[in-house]
Structure formats: C-alpha cells, structure tokens
Amino acid sequence: MDDRVENSYRVLLTGGEGEYVEKKSRFIATLQKCDSEEEALLFIEKTKKKYWDARHNCYAYVIGAKGELTRCSDDGEPGGTAGRPMLEVLAGEDIRNAAVVVTRYFGGVLLGTGGLVRAYTQAVKEGLRNCVLGRMRYGCEVQITTDYNCIGKILYLLGNAGIEPVSIDYGEKVVLCLQVPVAELQLLQKSVADATGGRAEFDKKGSLYYVDKE
C-alpha cells in the first residue's frame, strides 16, 4: 500500500502568538507555517530582529510530511531546556511544516532546568491556541454527476460522512466535485450507488494532498 494513504498530519492554516509568564520572565511564542527550511530560517531571523532586545530567542521547526527535517536551538539557555521541549510540543501535536520561536524576557529570577522546560513548553501551547489548524490528507478528487431527483440524497449522505463539496454545478445535471481520503473512496462510491440506485456517475479524477479544517 502507498504509505501516503495512511499519512495525514496537522498544519498551521494561520500562525499565531501566545504568552506565558513565570516568575516575572515573559515567554512569547510566535508560530508560522513554513514549507521549507529556507522559509523557517527567514522567519526565525525576522522574529529575532523584532525581539532584538530579548535575552533569548529559542526556536524549533519541523519540515516535511513525515517530519524528515527537525532543528531546534536553546539560544544560550541550559542545554535541552528550550529548543527540544518546543520541538516535542510540535511533534506531540502531529504538526508538520511549521516553525516556532519563543522569546524570553528575563524577569530576574532563575527558574532552574525544570522551570525552563515547563515555561518553554507552555509558551508553545499558548501560541498554538491562537493558531488555526488543519489536517493535511492524501486523497482523491472525485466528480459525481447526478440528476435533480438524487441530489438531495447525495448531499444528505455527504453531510453524514462529514464531506463538504468543493463545488456544485447546477446545470442540465448536477455535478459535484469532492476531495475524499483514499481510504474512504470505495465505501463512498458504494454508498452513492446504493442511495441513488446506481443512477449517479462516480468518477475518480486524480490523487492529491488537501487540507481539512479542524
């Protein structure tokens, strides 16, 4: 089986920021979608320039559908207390093609290694709460052609399956364009045939990656 069939992952549809405060130290997390390492590095540099006066700008990023490329930096914090915990949050949330920078403004109180790990972890989680997430799936583009007598049954079936048509063309016949996970294709085809008594045409047009909003 093509491993893309089972390979879905989360992505940032829009980035966001979040803040966590621990003993007067401010931890500001900034997240952005990045489709390449070059984009991630540019984003990191841009964020560092924005927060040029901060004590630390730690970062982590994950690139590739399977997370093939990961990098992180503690940026002067004790080893393993910032970048790695930040990376683990992204991995734990199944997020790919994203970068995060956590900016720390020191509050004058040492937090210790455990406190730092907790603070950087929580900052990323706060940032994610202000992002819009979607799930990237490997699927098929499908076209269903039917008459007006069957369209209601098909729309009802699609609604129950959680599938929203990409487009619907109401002409001499009704033509629906869908994006469907590969694993669900055969079941959907059978369901459409059963619901319409075989009167609807079900055509697979090709394979693609597409995003489902969460």
Side-chain angles (χ1 to χ4, degrees):
M1 178 185 290
D2 188 335
D3 62 2
R4 291 176 297 182
V5 172
E6 301 299 330
N7 184 39
S8 70
Y9 54 92
R10 301 172 84 193
V11 293
L12 303 181
L13 300 182
T14 60
E17 292 186 358
E19 183 172 329
Y20 179 75
V21 178
E22 178 77 11
K23 295 180 180 177
K24 297 183 180 180
S25 279
R26 293 175 62 210
F27 296 83
I28 304 167
T30 309
L31 294 102
Q32 180 172 297
K33 182 179 185 293
C34 299
D35 291 320
S36 67
E37 186 170 28
E38 290 75 16
E39 285 186 25
L41 294 174
L42 286 172
F43 161 69
I44 291 164
E45 285 305 310
K46 179 180 177 181
T47 307
K48 285 183 174 181
K49 288 179 181 178
K50 178 179 178 180
Y51 296 109
W52 60 271
D53 57 340
R55 176 73 68 91
H56 305 281
N57 281 289
C58 307
Y59 67 79
Y61 57 86
V62 181
I63 306 296
K66 297 181 181 179
E68 297 92 334
L69 177 62
T70 61
R71 295 284 186 274
C72 62
S73 169
D74 296 313
D75 192 35
E77 294 281 30
T81 62
R84 178 59 58 180
M86 292 162 58
L87 191 61
E88 288 175 354
V89 174
L90 297 181
E93 294 290 338
D94 197 26
I95 294 172
R96 307 285 185 272
N97 293 340
V100 56
V101 177
V102 175
T103 301
R104 181 189 182 189
Y105 285 95
F106 184 55
V109 179
L110 297 177
L111 302 183
T113 56
L116 288 172
V117 170
R118 181 175 60 254
Y120 279 100
T121 297
Q122 191 61 38
V124 179
K125 291 180 178 180
E126 291 295 330
L128 283 172
R129 289 192 180 98
N130 295 315
C131 296
V132 179
L133 297 171
R135 182 163 289 276
M136 187 72 73
R137 300 185 185 276
Y138 183 66
C140 298
E141 187 175 9
V142 171
Q143 180 176 293
I144 299 175
T145 304
T146 186
D147 56 36
Y148 283 83
N149 292 325
C150 294
I151 184 61
K153 296 176 181 178
I154 293 174
L155 291 175
Y156 178 77
L157 186 155
L158 294 176
N160 285 340
I163 299 172
E164 184 176 345
V166 176
S167 66
I168 306 178
D169 181 17
Y170 292 95
E172 184 177 343
K173 288 194 171 184
V174 184
V175 180
L176 302 91
C177 292
L178 316 173
Q179 293 172 338
V180 183
V182 170
E184 299 176 15
L185 185 64
Q186 289 185 346
L187 178 60
L188 179 63
Q189 186 171 9
K190 182 179 184 303
S191 298
V192 169
D194 291 345
T196 64
R199 296 198 304 275
E201 297 177 19
F202 190 99
D203 298 313
K204 176 184 173 183
K205 295 298 183 180
S207 301
L208 75 168
Y209 276 103
Y210 69 97
V211 177
D212 268 347
K213 292 183 179 180
E214 294 190 348

